[in-house]
Amino acid sequence: MKIAAYILRLLALALAFVLAAKAGQLVPVGNARVSPMWPPAGLTLVVLTLAGPRYAPGVWLGSFMTARLGGLHTPLSSLLATAGTIEALTGAWLLRRLAVDRRLARVRDVLAFVGSAVVTSALGAMMGVGLLAAWGRLRWAAAPGSAAVWCVGDAMGMMMIAPVVFTLRARSPRALQRPHLEAVAVAVLFALTCAIVFSGRPALGSATHSPAFLVFPCAMWAALRFGPRGAAIAAAATSVVAIVTTSLGYGPFALGKRVDDVLLLQLFMSTVYLTVLLLAAATAERAEATGQVALLAAAVRASGEAVLITDLERPPAGPRILFTNDAVSRLTGYDEAEMLDKTPALLLGRGPSATHEWPRIEEALVAAQPFQGEMVILRRDGAEVEIDVHVSPVQEDGDAPEHMVVTCRDVTERNRIRTKLALAERMATVGTLAAGVGHEINTPLAFIIANLEGLSRRLAALVLPEGTADLDALQQSVRDSLEGAARIRTIVRDLKTLSRDGDGERSLVDLAKVMTVALNMASGDIGRRAKLVTDLGASPPVYASEGRMGQVLLNLVVNAMQSMSAAPGENVLRVRTGTAPDGRALVEVEDTGGGIPSAVLPRIFEPFFTTKGPGGGTGLGLSICHQIVSASGGEIMVDSTEGKGTTVRVLLPAATGEVVTTPSPVPASFGPAVPTQRGRVLVVDDEIRFARSVRWLLEPEHEVEVTADGAEALDWIARGPAFDVILCDLQMPGLSGMEIHAKLTATSPEEAKKMVFVSGGAVTAEAREFVRVVKNPVLDKPFRPEALQAIVAEVLAANSDRAAE
């Protein structure tokens, strides 16, 4: 079926070739009876360009049949058909090679198409005339003129048919669009002109005037009005009018007596075609360029980035602004009319950083050099805006730049977020560092306190003559050292509380306890600035992060201190915890500082907003407090009177449950230990000095063994004799306390129940989770001797109870 369909198409093409040739022969011009335009040339160019070279056999067959019908014998007809086929194939190849856009909407495409038509027509004319002269069908003396008419005739056939078909098919082939209909209307206008001529109106046609001269302006109008499609149809119609009227004897082209005189008509039609098509292409290119410029201008005006264009330096006034888009007005607050013909310094040279940034931009504008940087400008209303500035020279075709494009982007919010993230990262780093430092301090602090306590007990047990001054002074020195160590312990504990990661570790929190920690942390500043009045009454527990709540309360206390001048006798800081009338937990921090102006009060929770001077704060404190309280389901309110002071209230929803509190260590002098049941105790800690201090505290009431190696501890437990209490560090190199517990649970569950964990601070997430779920006692370093002895006694008692059962 495919082969049969292909053969049918070839036959149809051959028949169309013959009919097109007959149509061209209907209107011979002059006494030579030669057609000035050869339609088959255009037909074959269109077919081979659109359908491909596979239809070349149909072209050959049609050309052969036309030659045979014209009285030429078979060999010559075959050669002429071959020459015509080569001409058509060459034309199609040139159009593809030159990448001619069939819309003919560019001057380049029109010139390439016309050039291809002339070259291929010249090739076909030389081959055809040469063959006719060689076979004696044409005198060699007449060959040049005949070749010229042949060449232009073929070229006219291509230019009359191919542009019409190409432009009609260039866009949607499914339906005629309005421009098609308008172009057809032009052709109808030409047909009416011909009808008037044929009706015998001498005013429109005579021996010296052709109606083609009258319709040529219409073709020009069609080119301007309808573009390449209308121009192609109008040029074809003009050629038809010229050929028909000339063949009827109208116009100067009808006077020719020789074949060469036909060239005059052909040159006229060629001029019409080239002029009309070039005019349409130039108009289309100009319209496309204008549309692109309009699109670019609309895009630039609608762009979110501020764009302004300046000329180069014009001494002495400097560069001037030639164009601005809407974003420039939004960025600076100036209208476009106010900025045009002004220096860019009006927009870019007003900020605090202009002293060092603006000269660099000005230098770039003068030297036509690119520039990129950030600076701060002042809007028309006085607000500061941070902008990212790009200055670029504009060059056209390698010429020296004549204009500069300045693009500005508002980066104020981006820089604020960047600063906030950097601060948050620093705060996280400080928190991690505080937790690590606390863990490292706790172990040596533990054995310092243990050794001091052991020394105090032994000094108390000494029996010396009364009035021994050296012993009294030594005991007082030990008590002072214990008090200092206890204060260090409190500071480390508070650092650990404030460095805990926030919302992931929520628990029941006692706000009074957290406020005590915050006041301890700020005690130095409070003592220098104000008198502290506290009313830490009972408040319902809240479900929140203890570390985050500590951060909030400490920030409120520090803000209150900073609002008051350094005059302790005049300033008062009141801190209260309790229960609000609606049952929520309440915290109040009241100061007698300068207060907050009413105009500023609505903005105090905005990120980065601060009334402090440079270096006085980041403006993040209250914003973070507000975020933490809101995330916990509470609210924070501020009442302030300028010149009298400020009260900040934090309200948090009460939680169900009980809060387990651990009394803060109180410096004291400890007497001899209360005798307890004697037991065998194993101390496992990688810090051997701490292990020895524990042994000193527990001896001689208990038998104590110490080791710094977890594997060795497991070996001792396995070999016996059995230990009654196993004091083990939670986190150690090698085998940790958690791993020892896991191994004992698997092999000797009863021994695992005897473990008491000692921790300098559960730093890792794994350690914190273990402390949360393990049932064994956990003793935080540093601890008081009474706490150690109490836990040992508790484990011994538990062992006795299990043995009795």
Side-chain angles (χ1 to χ4, degrees), residues 331 374-375 384-388 409-421 603 606-609 620 623:
L331 180 66
E374 289 190 8
M375 62 183 299
E384 289 189 356
V385 180
E386 298 177 45
I387 60 172
D388 182 25
R409 179 185 299 175
D410 186 350
V411 295
T412 306
E413 190 62 27
R414 185 198 70 183
N415 289 347
R416 285 181 178 178
I417 294 174
R418 183 183 296 171
T419 302
K420 183 176 180 179
L421 291 176
R603 301 187 58 192
E606 293 182 10
F608 302 100
F609 178 78
L620 283 174
S623 175

Side-chain angles (χ1 to χ4, degrees), residues 653-724:
T656 58
E658 296 181 356
V659 178
V660 179
T661 60
T662 301
S664 299
V666 179
S669 176
F670 303 107
V674 178
T676 61
Q677 176 185 348
R678 185 175 179 81
R680 193 162 185 265
V681 181
L682 174 62
V683 181
V684 187
D685 199 297
D686 61 299
E687 177 55 71
I688 195 63
R689 288 182 291 269
F690 171 77
R692 287 200 298 262
S693 66
V694 171
R695 180 167 59 185
W696 195 23
L697 284 175
L698 295 179
E699 289 180 341
E701 288 82 7
H702 304 284
E703 179 184 348
V704 182
E705 298 288 343
V706 298
T707 179
D709 188 349
E712 185 178 37
L714 285 175
D715 184 55
W716 288 359
I717 295 170
R719 287 191 292 109
F723 290 97
D724 300 304

Side-chain angles (χ1 to χ4, degrees), residues 435 438-440 442-443 496 729-730 758-763 779-781:
H439 179 268
E440 294 301 320
N442 276 335
T443 297
K496 286 167 59 180
D729 191 8
L730 187 67
V758 181
S759 172
V763 177
L779 191 61
D780 287 331
K781 298 177 183 177

Side-chain angles (χ1 to χ4, degrees), residues 95 98-118 159 163 166-167 227-229 231-232 270-285:
L95 292 182
L98 297 176
V100 175
D101 188 339
R102 294 194 293 270
R103 293 176 300 176
L104 299 178
R106 297 180 299 178
V107 173
R108 170 195 173 281
D109 294 325
V110 172
L111 293 177
F113 169 75
V114 173
S116 300
V118 172
M159 288 190 290
F166 286 164
T167 54
R229 183 182 295 107
S270 300
T271 302
V272 170
Y273 261 102
L274 188 60
T275 302
V276 172
L277 291 179
L278 285 176
L279 179 61
T283 303
E285 280 191 305

Side-chain angles (χ1 to χ4, degrees), residues 169-257:
R169 288 178 56 88
R171 296 189 181 180
S172 175
R174 293 172 297 179
L176 290 179
Q177 300 174 353
R178 180 176 174 82
H180 296 78
L181 298 176
E182 293 175 339
V184 171
V186 174
V188 173
L189 175 63
F190 295 149
L192 292 175
T193 302
C194 293
I196 295 174
V197 173
F198 299 152
S199 66
R201 299 289 183 91
L204 297 177
S206 65
T208 58
H209 297 86
S210 172
F213 293 136
L214 301 178
V215 297
F216 176 62
C218 295
M220 301 286 287
W221 171 77
L224 293 173
R225 176 64 180 84
F226 304 131
R229 183 182 295 107
I233 297 176
T238 303
S239 298
V240 170
V241 171
I243 293 172
V244 171
T245 55
T246 300
S247 67
L248 295 176
Y250 293 103
F253 308 125
L255 302 178
K257 302 298 182 182

